[in-house]
């Protein structure tokens, strides 16, 4: 069984979040571990192609990773991630594969909060069907509950070669549990994360309430398998 992982941890210092020093990262990870038991973290940061070059972003991200690793508590593991917000032209960025999760073709992508415009819909299609990358749709729970119409949610959950990331806390919601059940049934990759971005948010992350609600629905053994399943082969 794979280790429980936070696939959406926003605790890299000086990467646009509320973390300003490596010590803050360590403090937040300890607090988050106390709330969740998680000891493996994908350290996410947003690559804003409107402000930064990809090489510049990767240099800053990798420097932040080097700074936090010597301070990690014993038994904690971190690896570098990065997501891109969907906007016209991203599929043409050279070297975009460098943002993929390690040893996968999964590219973390955040769709626009308000839904897709004609231009972003075209870009989404280019990414899905005209590149060799497989999107990891970040914060899927938001789009199910607030961002998309029910019909568009159905289309979203049926995409081929696409993985889905949810907040652990969203499992309190029966609608999200039904979506997870559907995705697991079609053998899609489903990953979970916290989106925690400060020691304060880590200290009050309500993981246990979500687990209790999900256990009552899925059963303890099946929920454990869902939360620890990890990345499936996307081909």
């Amino acid at each position: 069984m794979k280790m429980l992982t936070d696939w959406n941890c926003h605790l890299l210092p000086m990467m646009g979040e509320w973390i300003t020093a490596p010590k803050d990262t360590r403090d937040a990870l300890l607090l988050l571990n106390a709330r969740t038991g998680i000891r493996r973290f994908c350290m996410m940061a947003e690559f804003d192609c409107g402000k930064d070059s990809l090489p510049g972003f990767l240099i800053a991200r990798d420097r932040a990773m080097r700074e936090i690793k010597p301070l990690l508590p014993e038994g904690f593991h971190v690896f570098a991630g990065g997501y891109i917000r969907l906007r016209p032209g991203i599929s043409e960025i050279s070297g975009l594969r460098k943002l993929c999760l390690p040893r996968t073709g999964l590219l973390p992508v955040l769709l626009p909060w308000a839904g897709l415009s004609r231009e972003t819909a075209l870009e989404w299609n280019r990414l899905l069907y005209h590149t060799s990358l497989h999107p990891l749709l970040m914060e899927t729970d938001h789009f199910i509950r607030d961002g998309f119409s029910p019909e568009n949610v159905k289309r979203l959950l049926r995409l081929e070669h696409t993985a889905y990331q949810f907040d652990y806390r969203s499992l309190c919601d029966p609608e999200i549990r039904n979506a997870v059940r559907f995705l697991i049934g079609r053998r899609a990759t489903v990953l979970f994360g916290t989106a925690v971005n400060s020691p304060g948010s880590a200290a009050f992350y309500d993981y246990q309430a979500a687990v209790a609600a999900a256990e009552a629905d899925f059963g303890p053994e099946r929920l454990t398998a869902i939360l620890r399943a990890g990345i499936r082969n996307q081909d």
Side-chain angles (χ1 to χ4, degrees):
M1 185 75 67
K2 296 178 181 178
M3 186 182 295
L4 198 65
T5 301
D6 181 353
W7 290 97
N8 193 25
C9 183
H10 292 242
L11 293 173
L12 276 177
M14 304 301 292
M15 291 298 293
E17 302 287 354
W18 293 98
I19 299 293
T20 59
K23 181 182 179 300
D24 296 334
T25 299
R26 175 188 168 87
D27 292 345
L29 290 176
L30 284 168
L31 289 167
L32 191 55
N33 172 258
R35 301 287 294 182
T36 66
I38 296 172
R39 293 183 291 114
R40 186 171 184 260
F41 304 88
C42 179
M43 308 302 284
M44 283 290 182
E46 180 181 353
F47 166 54
D48 186 341
C49 62
K51 296 179 180 178
D52 304 315
S53 69
L54 182 56
F57 168 82
L58 294 173
I59 288 170
R61 182 200 67 179
D62 293 347
R63 180 174 61 241
M65 290 293 295
R66 289 194 300 271
E67 290 176 349
I68 65 173
K69 282 188 175 181
L71 300 180
L72 287 177
E74 184 176 356
F76 281 48
H77 306 275
V78 297
F79 55 98
Y83 68 93
I84 188 165
R85 196 178 296 269
L86 184 69
R87 60 180 62 184
I90 66 166
S91 62
E92 299 173 9
I93 296 174
S94 177
L96 201 58
R97 181 171 288 277
K98 293 177 182 177
L99 285 178
C100 289
L101 297 181
R103 297 182 295 279
T104 77
L106 288 179
L107 175 68
V109 179
L110 185 65
L111 300 183
W113 290 123
L116 298 180
S117 66
R118 181 177 181 277
E119 290 77 14
T120 52
L122 287 171
E123 190 62 31
W124 181 237
N125 283 336
R126 290 189 194 102
L127 200 62
L128 284 170
Y129 304 116
H130 300 285
T131 74
S132 61
L133 303 172
H134 299 315
L136 168 60
L137 184 59
M138 302 300 291
E139 304 183 19
T140 306
D141 45 286
H142 167 82
F143 301 102
I144 293 173
R145 294 190 292 200
D146 303 309
F148 282 19
S149 69
E151 191 60 36
N152 283 335
V153 167
K154 289 180 182 178
R155 292 193 186 99
L156 199 68
L157 298 181
R158 288 178 169 84
L159 292 171
E160 296 295 328
H161 308 302
T162 299
Y164 301 83
Q165 184 268 319
F166 292 81
D167 194 304
Y168 283 104
R169 292 171 299 184
S170 70
L171 289 169
C172 285
D173 187 335
E175 185 177 13
I176 299 303
R177 296 197 299 272
N178 285 337
V180 169
R181 184 180 286 108
F182 174 78
L183 291 169
I184 295 296
R186 56 180 292 262
R187 299 189 60 78
T189 289
V190 178
L191 306 176
F192 294 88
T194 67
V196 159
N197 64 0
S198 69
S201 60
F204 293 97
Y205 191 84
D206 197 357
Y207 174 81
Q208 294 303 326
V211 168
E215 278 188 352
D217 191 344
F218 293 112
E221 290 186 5
R222 189 177 184 207
L223 177 63
T224 297
I226 290 170
L227 296 183
R228 297 175 184 259
I231 297 173
R232 297 180 184 272
N233 191 322
Q234 297 299 299
D235 296 323

